[in-house]
Amino acid sequence: MLLVVASGNGREGVEGAMKVLRENGSAIDAVEAGIRRVESDPDEDSVGLGGIPNILGQVELDASIMEGRTLAAGAVGALTGVENPISVARRVMELCPHVLLVGAGARRFAEETGFVPCNLLTTPSLQKWRSRLPEQISENFRELEDRGELLPLVRAIAEKMRRAGTVNFLARDERGDIACGVSTSGWPWKYPGRLGDSPIIGAGNYADNRYGAAACTGYGELAIRCNTAHSVVLYMKMGQGVAAACREAMGDLAPLLAAHGGGMNIVAMDRQGYPFGITSSATGGSYWVMNEKSIAPEECELERISSAQAG
Ligand code: ASP
């Protein structure tokens, strides 16, 4: 069963990812193709080009990719000036003895392996970023970098501003190999150097051919603390179906969601390619599914589970 599953903001990459699979490409090629499309869209302000920047006005990107057959993985965090961090993550996976590179090291690796630097800050994302700064700071925003204290500003702006966004892609190819990828500009107005769950293998992203794959969007600090993506796969290993495994992982998050607010969405598939998605948001949400028989991506509702119900 050929399958592509994507988070709500992944719609425009789904057909391209399925095309890769239909042309006998690998699951990991499909995941990378789908995510690149979303990263390069300047109107998507939570991923890649045009992502809302950190508190200093720098767009810092996180991404990870994992191959379920070998458990090979690559990730980058707080990467600046590269439009397609998912491809850098893949290159880390394929060329580097490490799994995760961050900050200046990730940028250096990207340039060394042929990625062309670019400006990720678009005029609309600069405007959105400035609109939440106190007026006096917004007028002199170029001086922010020399400011001694950033923490009070991060607490005042970012803490209230949990809405972010992330793109997830999962794919299963002709050979039954599965792969999973995640990309984001992370928590807007974040403290420089903050990593969420997206580049942390096990937290925001996990794939294992023997059981399935899962990826998260939402309050990354909580997915890190519960190792959410890996938990879903582990619950499948322990015998649960994909829906039960997602509910169980959401249950693990429930006390943290109740204590800290924010939300979590999980998209997952089992090893046969049965998809499922779940959200802690009371207002729901959707994800995209396309299989070998589909003419177009199908929008599916995330199962709603309030943090009070979960756990
Ligand atoms: N999970 C992402 C992060 O914490 C953000 C999001 O999906 O809303 O960086």
Side-chain angles (χ1 to χ4, degrees):
M1 161 73 77
L2 304 182
L3 184 75
V4 175
V5 179
S7 54
N9 58 353
R11 167 70 182 82
E12 63 177 305
V14 175
E15 278 150 310
M18 182 48 78
K19 184 167 181 282
V20 170
L21 296 180
R22 284 179 171 149
E23 289 170 357
N24 205 25
S26 63
I28 201 136
D29 282 342
V31 161
E32 183 182 0
I35 291 181
R36 281 178 66 94
R37 185 71 194 267
V38 181
E39 289 175 335
S40 295
D41 176 359
D43 297 329
E44 169 50 68
D45 69 8
S46 70
V47 180
L49 178 68
I52 300 183
N54 69 14
I55 195 70
L56 292 178
Q58 303 154 340
V59 183
E60 288 185 323
L61 304 178
D62 300 339
S64 67
I65 195 159
M66 184 162 189
E67 190 175 66
R69 182 168 48 83
T70 56
L71 304 188
V76 288
L79 172 65
T80 56
V82 180
E83 187 172 312
N84 295 115
I86 195 69
S87 297
V88 186
R90 180 158 182 193
R91 219 163 276 180
V92 171
M93 181 183 102
E94 290 175 342
L95 299 180
C96 204
H98 313 305
V99 167
L100 171 61
L101 296 178
V102 300
R107 170 70 178 263
R108 182 178 177 135
F109 172 84
E111 288 186 30
E112 186 175 334
T113 56
F115 290 86
V116 181
C118 70
N119 175 22
L120 297 170
L121 190 60
T122 59
T123 306
S125 63
L126 176 66
Q127 278 163 355
K128 278 179 217 157
W129 172 74
R130 286 185 66 184
S131 70
R132 289 201 170 249
L133 297 177
E135 206 178 309
Q136 212 196 344
I137 296 179
S138 176
E139 276 161 19
N140 305 299
F141 68 92
R142 285 178 220 287
E143 290 163 20
L144 257 172
E145 193 137 12
D146 302 320
R147 203 181 158 94
E149 282 193 327
L150 287 179
L151 194 53
L153 210 51
V154 170
R155 296 206 82 143
I157 304 172
E159 216 159 23
K160 282 190 237 138
M161 195 48 218
R162 294 261 170 73
R163 187 211 68 85
T166 294
V167 66
N168 301 151
F169 265 77
L170 321 181
R172 184 178 192 275
D173 65 27
E174 190 85 359
R175 292 162 290 280
D177 286 334
I178 60 180
C180 189
V182 179
S183 185
T184 186
S185 50
W187 192 338
W189 296 274
K190 62 194 170 186
Y191 201 97
R194 176 264 185 189
L195 301 183
D197 56 324
S198 307
I200 310 290
I201 296 299
N205 181 5
Y206 204 78
D208 184 330
N209 267 14
R210 295 168 296 176
Y211 314 113
C216 305
T217 61
Y219 192 172
E221 279 71 4
L222 305 192
I224 292 173
R225 288 159 71 181
C226 290
N227 206 24
T228 299
H230 184 259
S231 297
V232 172
V233 175
L234 185 63
Y235 290 131
M236 287 195 271
K237 174 182 176 176
M238 292 173 78
Q240 295 191 341
V242 61
C246 286
R247 292 182 196 122
E248 191 81 39
M250 205 53 110
D252 295 343
L253 287 160
L256 295 180
L257 287 164
H260 302 283
M264 190 66 65
N265 306 316
I266 305 172
V267 290
M269 71 160 81
D270 68 14
R271 72 193 172 94
Q272 272 106 18
Y274 185 83
F276 188 73
I278 191 166
T279 181
S280 69
S281 157
T283 52
S286 61
Y287 64 109
W288 296 94
V289 174
M290 193 165 182
N291 65 33
E292 59 207 24
K293 299 196 191 104
S294 315
I295 294 162
E298 186 193 346
E299 187 167 18
C300 303
E301 251 182 67
L302 293 165
E303 179 174 287
R304 269 184 284 170
I305 184 153
S306 73
S307 49
Q309 273 173 289

